[in-house]
Amino acid sequence: MADEVSARRITAPAIFAMKGKTKIKMVTAYDAPTARIADRARADIILVGDSVANVVLGHDDTLAVTVDVMVHHTAAVTRTKPTALVVGDMPWLSYHTSTHDTVTNAGRLVREGGASAVKLEGGRKRIPMIEAVVDAEIPVMGHLGLTPQSVNSMGGYRVQGKEAQAAYEMISDAHALADAGVFSIVLEGVPDVVAEIVTREIPVPTIGIGAGTHCDGQVLVFHDVTGLGAGEYLPKFVRQYANIADDAVTALREFFDDVESGVFPSEAETYHMPAASEEILRNLSNPTDHLMADEAMEG
Ligand code: KIV
């Protein structure tokens, strides 16, 4: 973990400096509880991924989320004041139309969402946008390979760079991103040899997801690692370390059984009135008194 942990905040330059020294640990979080858990587990980076769209909000893909949605979730994460670096994901179309819009949208993730860096997908064609955001003093994380916002143009979620020419293009993209000043690059869904070459050739850290073991760090989706995804399809590259969804179902069933049997709530889980007040209240609430009072009012 970065040295800056003791200083209570991990920064983008600190992540950059981890290359070749310590493996970078990144996980997604989309709200305050998951952010607190990620930070307690000592994540170096919390990514407020646009995967919030399908993981949490029930959409089929990530294309549905807007800058407003990403600001909303990023702010929930940063309100917990984690030690980890918080990276806000730039959603589809927030960095595709102009450098001006890109800087404005990245600025919203920082100013309104509290992120300390942003992530955006794509290679050389995104260089002007990346340079503009870096010029605005916002650290940028790149994202190459299987970029989910390109699901329609890729024709589905497919491993990228399986052919030598495509892999070579991706390696060139990684060099271009590094030259443009990104502080790290996510490599998603690529053959391990491609990740190995990129990691060896570029000076910025690579963070893999479905990219093999050679990257400078690894990232997974919180709900996949913990089993909170409740039966969602898990890609081959996911390792699930717990089954929180099953634990939650068990807990809720026990709660419902206790409600049914009357065991919940117990004496210890119940509020009481001082005895004198209770007696006055009980007398006031005598049904016969109520009837007489009503009749007197009507008469
Ligand atoms: O949105 C996301 O969760 C991501 C990670 C999978 C890298 O981009």
Side-chain angles (χ1 to χ4, degrees):
M1 201 186 326
D3 294 336
E4 277 69 8
V5 168
S6 51
R8 296 301 304 158
R9 274 295 154 91
I10 297 175
T11 63
I15 296 296
F16 182 81
M18 287 171 77
K19 181 157 181 109
K21 295 189 186 116
T22 320
K23 289 272 189 181
I24 297 163
K25 288 76 139 185
M26 178 160 105
V27 68
T28 62
Y30 314 108
D31 55 22
T34 53
R36 286 197 190 96
I37 293 168
D39 210 47
R40 278 178 59 192
R42 297 179 178 240
D44 296 309
I45 306 174
I46 295 176
L47 171 67
V48 188
D50 63 351
S51 53
V52 67
N54 35 306
V55 175
V56 167
L57 301 178
H59 294 292
D60 287 338
D61 52 45
T62 59
L63 306 182
V65 285
T66 60
V67 176
D68 283 346
V69 171
M70 293 311 300
V71 165
H72 177 80
H73 286 274
T74 305
V77 166
T78 58
R79 276 185 211 115
T80 68
K81 302 196 183 342
T83 298
L85 175 73
V86 177
V87 178
D89 222 353
M90 297 198 67
W92 181 57
L93 288 189
S94 70
Y95 56 95
H96 303 69
T97 51
S98 70
T99 51
H100 178 269
D101 286 355
T102 304
V103 174
T104 303
N105 291 325
R108 286 195 62 199
L109 288 172
V110 173
R111 181 173 284 157
E112 298 170 45
S116 299
V118 300
K119 176 169 84 57
L120 57 83
E121 299 181 2
R124 277 161 287 183
K125 61 184 166 187
R126 304 290 167 229
I127 294 301
M129 285 39 169
I130 292 172
E131 284 177 343
V133 177
V134 171
D135 274 356
E137 313 299 346
I138 300 172
V140 176
M141 174 182 280
H143 187 161
L144 294 173
L146 193 175
T147 44
Q149 291 173 13
S150 312
V151 58
N152 291 322
S153 51
M154 287 184 311
Y157 297 105
R158 299 174 200 290
V159 173
Q160 300 294 302
K162 278 174 122 174
E163 307 298 330
Q165 184 61 36
Y168 182 79
E169 297 296 333
M170 202 188 302
I171 294 164
S172 302
D173 280 339
H175 278 282
L177 261 57
D179 291 346
V182 299
F183 73 94
S184 58
I185 300 178
V186 169
L187 295 175
E188 177 167 358
V190 301
D192 61 347
V193 63
V194 180
E196 180 187 346
I197 294 170
V198 171
T199 303
R200 189 175 62 237
E201 289 192 357
I202 65 165
V204 305
T206 57
I207 304 176
I209 174 163
T213 186
H214 301 287
C215 295
D216 297 301
Q218 296 289 332
V219 54
L220 284 176
V221 166
F222 184 101
H223 294 56
D224 293 345
V225 183
T226 61
L228 190 54
E232 286 297 304
Y233 159 77
L234 289 182
K236 162 190 165 98
F237 59 76
V238 169
R239 190 178 296 175
Q240 187 182 322
Y241 288 86
N243 200 329
I244 291 180
D246 280 359
D247 289 349
V249 170
T250 304
L252 290 177
R253 284 197 182 139
E254 282 180 29
F255 166 49
F256 297 151
D257 285 349
D258 287 351
V259 170
E260 183 68 35
S261 68
V263 172
F264 179 85
S266 71
E267 196 53 20
E269 289 151 345
T270 304
Y271 297 108
H272 292 292
M273 238 182 192
S277 300
E278 182 173 338
E279 195 186 338
I280 295 169
L281 178 67
R282 285 193 186 284
N283 288 337
L284 280 175
S285 294
N286 184 322
T288 332
D289 291 350
H290 275 292
L291 207 59
M292 282 164 59
D294 287 349
E295 279 169 5
M297 302 262 279
E298 280 164 18

